[in-house]
Amino acid sequence: MQFKQLALAAAVAATAFSAQATTEIQWWHSMTAVNNEWVNDLAKQFNESQKDYKIVPTFKGVYDESMTAAIAAFRSGNAPDILQVFEVGTATMMASKGATIPVGKVMADAGVSFDPKAYIPAVAGYYTAPNGQMLSFPFNSSTTIFYYNKDAFKKAGLNPDVAPKTWPEVFAAAKKLKESGHSCPMTLAWQGWTQLESFSTWHNVEFATEHNGLSANGYKARLKINSPLHVKHIDNLGAAAKAGEFVYKGRASTAQASFTAGECAMIQTSSGFYGDVAKNAKFSYGLAPLPYYPDVKGAPQNTVIGGASLWVMAGKSPERYKGVAKFFEFLSQTKVQAASHQRTGYLPVTMAAYDLTEKSGFYAKHPGTDTAVTQMIRKVTDNSRGIRLGNYVQIRTIEDEELEQVWAGKKTGKQALDSIVSRGNELLARFERSYKN
């Protein structure tokens, strides 16, 4: 009798423990340095706000590495619950039938309110399928902006309070910086994104057919980035590289460290670089819109989305999906969105977060921090809504390879861009065939 009572008590205790058990949600991401600290803080805040779920963030390498790791994990049945995917992986994720669950469905099934209309249209539209269904959750959305070292400008005899607005002004500033003894007047990060993608939309010129891959027949898109304007721009950068006025520092975000160290005086890169600059730069700096060619009709237009979104992987339990929905609900809170924007420089992906930030006086206290937002909320055209192409991770690598040939003086702008279009279109044709099959 005593044994039965003990067994019953143990069973009751086990049931109680099970009911109180915390469900872990695995989140794979690609955030480093100060942005990795931000991701960990978000998880901690959510975990402390309730007891049913625990978000476990794990760094899985840079964007292309984490995406490859997640695909391999999905095939072996060990995919994370949430995967951070950079914007150029969107078309590939959309085409990966059965690997993901649309975020709209996850939220609806969990009974959690979710209004895509609350998001900045350019952000929501990018992650929305042609049928209107939102596929992934906007997280660290960014765009390309211009950073410059005010101290270096002052030393070179340039006005530190006025950033160059046009490309001719940028090249003139680089020349003066070089003459003043600056070893690296200008550099670039994410060169394909800044000098081809954002450059195209900022000037309202076609990057690829089928509305840059965003039309209903986006899988048929082909590259168009060897136009006379594109060729002129890449040749101009090539000439600046030859003169030592533009110094190439490497792929992806590599060049950013040279700016915060004070080595390079100007850089075009992600608005999400702001948190790093604010924390580590030991000089006065400025944030400004991207430069443009004043002789191009309609320029400047608007820049395109960068950064990444959160995809929900398939094959998980309803309870885990409910936890994912609750976490996304937490991330959607206006105060959380506004705090993240102010801390990192990533876009406030909801208009409410932008309004709260503006009313708080943050933009007035930190001039230029609203640049990313104002660049994104202009009226968009079919050439400037965004760029969503299949196999684009591989195409970005081709862009890097060919542009590096120009910076090294081994190819002209036309030769490099013609090669990008030819090689890139082969990959797009391959994507079209796989999409149809």
Side-chain angles (χ1 to χ4, degrees):
M1 188 73 175
Q2 186 177 15
F3 176 79
K4 286 184 178 181
Q5 289 176 334
L6 288 171
L8 180 61
V12 170
T15 302
F17 176 80
S18 177
Q20 296 173 5
T22 301
T23 301
E24 287 196 352
I25 308 297
Q26 299 297 322
W27 175 18
W28 287 7
H29 68 87
S30 299
M31 297 283 90
T32 60
V34 294
N35 288 333
N36 180 59
E37 295 171 7
W38 166 57
V39 162
N40 289 334
D41 285 347
L42 285 174
K44 182 180 179 182
Q45 290 167 25
F46 172 73
N47 293 341
E48 291 176 349
S49 72
Q50 45 74 54
K51 297 181 179 179
D52 296 325
Y53 307 99
K54 180 181 179 181
I55 295 293
V56 182
T58 304
F59 174 75
K60 278 290 180 175
V62 295
Y63 285 130
D64 54 349
E65 293 172 344
S66 62
M67 188 171 169
T68 301
I71 292 172
F74 174 76
R75 289 171 179 164
S76 64
N78 297 308
D81 303 282
I82 304 170
L83 174 66
Q84 183 190 29
V85 178
F86 59 162
E87 89 286 3
V88 297
T90 300
T92 300
M93 295 299 289
M94 288 174 67
S96 301
K97 306 297 183 185
T100 65
I101 306 293
V103 66
K105 175 175 170 53
V106 171
M107 303 299 270
D109 289 351
V112 175
S113 61
F114 179 62
D115 182 13
K117 293 180 181 178
Y119 291 82
I120 292 175
V123 174
Y126 190 85
Y127 297 118
T128 299
N131 65 3
Q133 186 177 47
M134 202 155 177
L135 301 175
S136 60
F137 182 85
F139 178 57
N140 59 312
S141 294
S142 63
T143 195
T144 48
I145 65 172
F146 183 84
Y147 298 81
Y148 69 103
N149 184 325
K150 289 187 174 185
D151 293 349
F153 266 48
K154 188 175 182 179
K155 182 181 176 182
L158 296 163
N159 188 340
D161 297 320
V162 180
K165 292 182 180 179
T166 68
W167 271 108
E169 290 175 358
V170 169
F171 291 126
K175 186 176 182 64
K176 280 198 172 185
L177 286 159
K178 178 70 174 176
E179 291 171 348
S180 73
H182 215 287
S183 63
C184 179
M186 172 176 63
T187 191
L188 303 166
W190 301 105
Q191 56 187 342
W193 180 34
T194 60
Q195 304 312 306
L196 296 176
E197 296 167 37
S198 287
F199 177 85
S200 299
T201 61
W202 196 229
H203 289 85
N204 196 26
V205 296
E206 192 175 33
F207 183 90
T209 60
E210 296 296 339
H211 300 167
N212 295 337
L214 285 168
S215 76
N217 293 319
Y219 62 91
K220 296 181 179 180
R222 297 294 185 270
L223 297 174
K224 302 284 285 185
I225 48 176
N226 54 351
S227 75
L229 176 62
H230 290 100
V231 170
K232 179 179 83 168
H233 178 54
I234 299 304
D235 276 339
N236 285 343
L237 284 171
K242 185 177 181 180
E245 294 157 6
F246 157 47
V247 181
Y248 177 63
K249 290 291 185 178
R251 300 182 183 183
S253 63
T254 304
Q256 292 178 174
S258 65
F259 180 79
T260 50
E263 178 189 352
C264 295
M266 297 183 287
I267 187 172
Q268 290 169 53
T269 187
S270 170
S271 59
F273 178 45
Y274 170 73
D276 191 356
V277 175
K279 182 177 180 179
N280 298 314
K282 307 303 181 185
F283 52 84
S284 179
Y285 58 86
L287 284 64
L290 291 183
Y292 62 95
Y293 286 98
D295 58 340
V296 176
K297 185 179 180 180
Q301 182 62 39
N302 64 279
T303 51
V304 291
I305 193 173
S309 64
L310 304 182
W311 290 76
V312 184
M313 303 302 288
K316 308 299 179 180
S317 68
E319 182 61 19
R320 290 171 82 165
Y321 284 136
K322 186 175 181 180
V324 170
K326 288 292 184 181
F327 180 51
F328 288 174
E329 182 182 40
F330 165 80
L331 293 178
S332 297
Q333 294 176 25
T334 300
K335 287 185 178 180
V336 173
Q337 289 277 340
S340 291
H341 163 55
Q342 294 167 32
R343 176 175 177 172
T344 66
Y346 284 114
L347 291 166
V349 293
T350 63
M351 289 306 298
Y354 170 72
D355 291 340
L356 179 60
T357 300
E358 186 174 41
K359 290 175 182 176
S360 73
F362 180 82
Y363 297 136
K365 187 177 180 181
H366 304 279
T369 51
D370 61 342
T371 299
V373 183
T374 57
Q375 282 188 173
M376 287 287 291
I377 62 176
R378 295 166 181 257
K379 181 181 179 181
V380 299
T381 71
D382 286 337
N383 287 331
S384 67
R385 283 197 298 144
I387 295 164
R388 192 166 66 198
L389 303 173
N391 286 333
Y392 201 62
V393 176
Q394 298 94 316
I395 292 173
R396 274 262 184 96
T397 300
I398 291 171
E399 291 172 351
D400 284 334
E401 292 171 354
E402 295 294 340
L403 290 176
E404 285 168 351
Q405 294 294 301
V406 180
W407 315 151
K410 296 178 180 179
K411 281 189 176 184
T412 65
K414 182 167 176 30
Q415 289 171 335
L417 292 174
D418 283 348
S419 184
I420 291 172
V421 169
S422 175
R423 296 172 64 191
N425 283 344
E426 289 179 9
L427 288 172
L428 289 173
R430 189 183 305 169
F431 177 79
E432 180 182 359
R433 289 193 295 271
S434 63
Y435 185 89
K436 288 180 177 179
N437 293 331

